[in-house]
């Protein structure tokens, strides 16, 4: 975070009061010095970049829309900025790519306080700094409706280290980073104003508001070739398993007892009469990584997890039979469907 | 345009009826086969690209927002798709970069007819095909308000051929492609339902709805080093001159009599009691290119114009004095300000 262009306490000016040139100047003032590979940065018609040698480019884009992905009543602006970049870094991590830069497209309601815009940028730039991601360009537009924060992130990977969804083979083990359910519970905890009601609930709220993309884990798993396939959990574990197995032409069995449920999520969902694991399996936004790991490579995966400081758990295996099964003490159920965006 | 997934006549299904997976399938079915350099295309967490050798990457992003940049009552969906890509290709052209690919981020109101989504894609993909631009990825999200079409485009350029806004020097001539005022008039002509009222008005409407980005001209001017600086006219000529001279630390004199006004724009604005040149100078969205050309290089610029089939006109010169002047028969006025997005 930078201290440039601080908003004086009590400054109530809005985006609509400020004018595009002044907004751009405000944004520019917050951006750290450009890395040496950025030949032309913010302020021209396009950004011009030098390349790293012997790498492929990896590009992704993901958007946060007010009223769909966040509610400004309980998601503070710095969390919106953080998350808008985090969801994209998570996609790069799932490909084994090291992030390099991002572009930010902001569609701003004129009523947005300039202080909120500053905080949004600070949240995004703090995460960018942590992962050495340069903001190389972007765009400002006016919104007649919701705040829209669209990020495009790019990174690089060596050809032989690319991870995709499509490489899983029958017999591979399924390994999952972190825990599930925290974000789904965190959304409800924030909406209910309970983020301060104890450590476990607070952790869920934090995971929902400021997810920690598994950048280092994805890169190390790629480089050590510990996995054959990888995907991130943007739309929940059930959806991730479905996407990976569909792309790989396989099925999967998940071991219900092995699924790592976030403690706060268990407490929250049990306290609200919801079956915690069912909620966690279908709940989105955990931004963990799911890997298909050949059995003989599981030590390499554990080493990658140790190096990156992220716990991993073996949660199931890839099958030739294309069914998707949730197994509990030998009793099989169908894996539930994931979150649907348009229905 | 492809004939994949045609909507049966009378199909009135909406995006909200359809579900994300079916929408993605629809989009995928319309996209032409991937170019050989696309290692991983649409359908994974991110796109993976091979590079051309000895080139720099050029990235840009620009968004179209319903109610701000277009009105669905008189801008057909294929024009929205065309324009969303065109404005980005125009930015790449201004840098001298050859376009290569794009990513498309769509924020869709559930009430949007699926037939409109198809038409939007067809408009975008037809322009992409014409310029050999591959759609390598993107994102779908639901909108609680306006339709938002956000495009990120990328291309490549050799280091010594990069054009920026910042290279203009006193004594350089200012050259402009095409004509000005067509898009500003075209917006009013479309809003008034007059696009069919004669050829001149129709040309303005066409230029507003489906601007033709000066891709080939920008690339050739870069490669032949015919210009020292370049910018596109997204926010009008006055704004472009202001941006280029500010970045270059110069001023400029524009010769009012030399400005090429689109014939339909003259007819339209005169018929509505508006001074045509004033409207054309400040009107946005012409997506022409403005170049600063050393006097001894003006033949190279004319050759580039001939090769690309786009007319160019000498409209002024760059000055050491930092004033921005509009000169008419020896009488000087201040150059008016451009279009303001947030005021």
């Amino acid at each position: 975070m930078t201290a440039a262009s601080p908003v004086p306490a009590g400054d109530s000016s809005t985006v609509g009061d400020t004018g595009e040139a002044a907004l751009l100047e405000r944004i520019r003032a917050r951006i750290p010095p450009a890395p040496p590979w950025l030949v032309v940065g913010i302020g021209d018609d396009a950004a011009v970049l030098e390349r790293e040698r012997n790498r492929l480019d990896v590009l992704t884009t993901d958007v946060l829309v007010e009223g769909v992905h966040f509610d400004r009543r309980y998601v503070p602006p710095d969390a919106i900025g953080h998350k808008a970049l985090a969801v994209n870094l998570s996609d790069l991590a799932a490909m084994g790519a090291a992030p390099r830069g991002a572009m930010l497209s902001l569609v701003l309601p004129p009523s947005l306080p300039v202080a909120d815009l500053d905080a949004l940028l600070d949240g995004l730039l703090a995460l960018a700094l942590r992962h050495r991601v340069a903001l190389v360009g972007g765009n400002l537009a006016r919104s007649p409706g919701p705040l829209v924060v669209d990020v495009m992130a790019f990174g690089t990977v060596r050809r032989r280290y690319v991870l995709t969804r499509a490489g899983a083979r029958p017999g591979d083990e399924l390994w999952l980073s972190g825990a599930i359910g925290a974000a789904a519970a965190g959304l409800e905890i924030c909406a209910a104003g309970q983020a301060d009601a104890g450590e476990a609930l607070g952790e869920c709220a934090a995971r929902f508001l400021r997810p920690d993309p598994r950048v280092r884990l994805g890169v190390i798993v790629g480089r050590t070739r510990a996995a054959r396939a990888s995907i991130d959990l943007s739309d929940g574990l059930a959806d991730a398993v479905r996407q990976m197995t569909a792309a790989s032409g396989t099925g999967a069995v998940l071991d219900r007892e092995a699924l790592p449920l976030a403690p706060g999520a268990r407490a929250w969902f049990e306290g609200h009469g919801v079956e915690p694991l069912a909620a966690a399996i279908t709940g989105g936004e955990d931004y963990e990584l799911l890997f298909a790991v050949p059995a003989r490579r599981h030590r390499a995966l554990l080493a990658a997890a140790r190096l990156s400081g992220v716990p991993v758990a073996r949660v199931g295996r890839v099958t030739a039979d294309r069914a998707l099964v949730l197994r509990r003490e030998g009793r099989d159920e169908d894996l539930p469907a994931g979150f649907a965006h348009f229905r």
Side-chain angles (χ1 to χ4, degrees), chain A residues 10-128:
Chain A
D11 182 337
S12 58
S13 60
T14 65
V15 161
D17 300 334
T18 306
E20 188 182 13
L23 290 173
L24 282 174
E25 210 29 73
R26 259 191 122 79
I27 295 173
R28 250 180 254 182
R30 303 184 102 75
I31 292 176
W37 49 262
L38 190 59
V39 181
V40 178
I42 288 178
D44 216 301
D45 286 313
V48 182
L49 286 61
E50 257 173 38
R51 294 159 170 183
E52 285 172 282
R53 303 187 75 168
N54 303 317
R55 297 282 192 289
L56 301 177
D57 287 317
V58 185
L59 302 178
T60 191
T61 184
D62 208 348
V63 69
L64 297 189
V65 181
E66 181 180 3
V68 178
H69 302 98
F70 63 88
D71 186 323
R72 277 201 274 152
R73 282 170 302 182
Y74 53 81
V75 178
D78 76 289
I80 299 169
H82 174 106
K83 201 161 174 173
L85 179 60
V87 300
N88 281 283
L89 298 188
S90 180
D91 280 328
L92 293 181
M95 308 295 292
R100 204 168 184 229
M103 295 212 294
L104 173 63
S105 177
L106 289 168
V107 186
L108 305 174
S111 63
L112 186 78
V114 170
D116 285 5
L117 175 63
D118 289 348
L120 189 159
L121 287 166
D122 284 343
L124 187 148
L125 290 170
L127 182 66

Side-chain angles (χ1 to χ4, degrees), chain A residues 217-232:
Chain A
L217 177 64
V219 169
I220 297 174
V221 168
R223 277 188 200 157
T224 57
R225 307 179 74 165
R228 280 213 186 94
S230 165
I231 188 171
D232 84 326

Side-chain angles (χ1 to χ4, degrees), chain A residues 92-339:
Chain A
L92 293 181
M95 308 295 292
R100 204 168 184 229
M103 295 212 294
L104 173 63
S105 177
L106 289 168
V107 186
L108 305 174
S111 63
L112 186 78
V114 170
D116 285 5
L117 175 63
D118 289 348
L120 189 159
L121 287 166
D122 284 343
L124 187 148
L125 290 170
L127 182 66
L129 192 66
R130 203 178 320 152
H131 293 287
R132 295 194 187 187
V133 169
L135 190 64
V136 305
N139 190 62
L140 280 187
R142 185 165 59 80
S143 174
L147 169 61
V148 177
V149 185
D150 201 3
V151 170
M152 190 284 296
F154 56 94
T156 60
V157 65
R158 282 182 194 269
R159 180 185 291 270
R160 63 182 181 283
Y161 300 155
V162 176
L163 291 166
T164 71
R165 304 176 174 187
R169 294 196 205 157
D172 287 353
E173 299 173 351
L174 289 171
W175 287 77
L176 180 68
S177 70
I180 57 172
L187 163 61
E188 297 184 11
I189 290 163
C190 288
Q194 299 289 305
D196 298 328
E199 199 181 327
L201 297 196
E203 274 172 18
C204 287
R207 186 81 198 148
F208 163 68
L209 291 175
R210 296 178 190 84
D212 185 19
R214 304 308 194 185
V215 173
R216 202 166 146 71
L217 177 64
V219 169
I220 297 174
V221 168
R223 277 188 200 157
T224 57
R225 307 179 74 165
R228 280 213 186 94
S230 165
I231 188 171
D232 84 326
L233 262 59
S234 35
D235 293 331
L237 177 61
D239 179 74
V241 170
R242 201 169 297 270
Q243 302 282 355
M244 180 190 277
T245 53
S248 301
T250 66
V253 175
L254 284 188
D255 178 1
R256 210 173 192 292
E257 272 78 35
L259 294 177
L261 183 63
R266 180 180 303 280
W268 178 262
F269 287 121
E270 279 179 352
H272 289 76
V274 177
E275 212 289 287
L277 256 178
I281 289 172
T282 55
E285 302 210 297
D286 277 320
Y287 299 105
E288 297 295 350
L289 295 179
L290 178 72
F291 299 107
V293 178
R296 60 182 169 73
R297 296 295 292 150
H298 89 268
R299 274 169 205 280
L301 188 85
L302 289 170
R306 261 196 316 276
L307 267 169
S308 57
V310 178
V312 291
R314 181 164 40 195
V315 297
R317 62 186 171 77
V318 179
T319 57
D321 176 354
R322 299 200 50 172
L324 299 178
V325 171
L326 189 58
R327 180 161 294 169
R328 178 188 208 165
E329 292 160 7
R331 218 184 63 217
D332 289 354
E333 304 165 25
D334 289 343
L335 188 71
F339 179 73

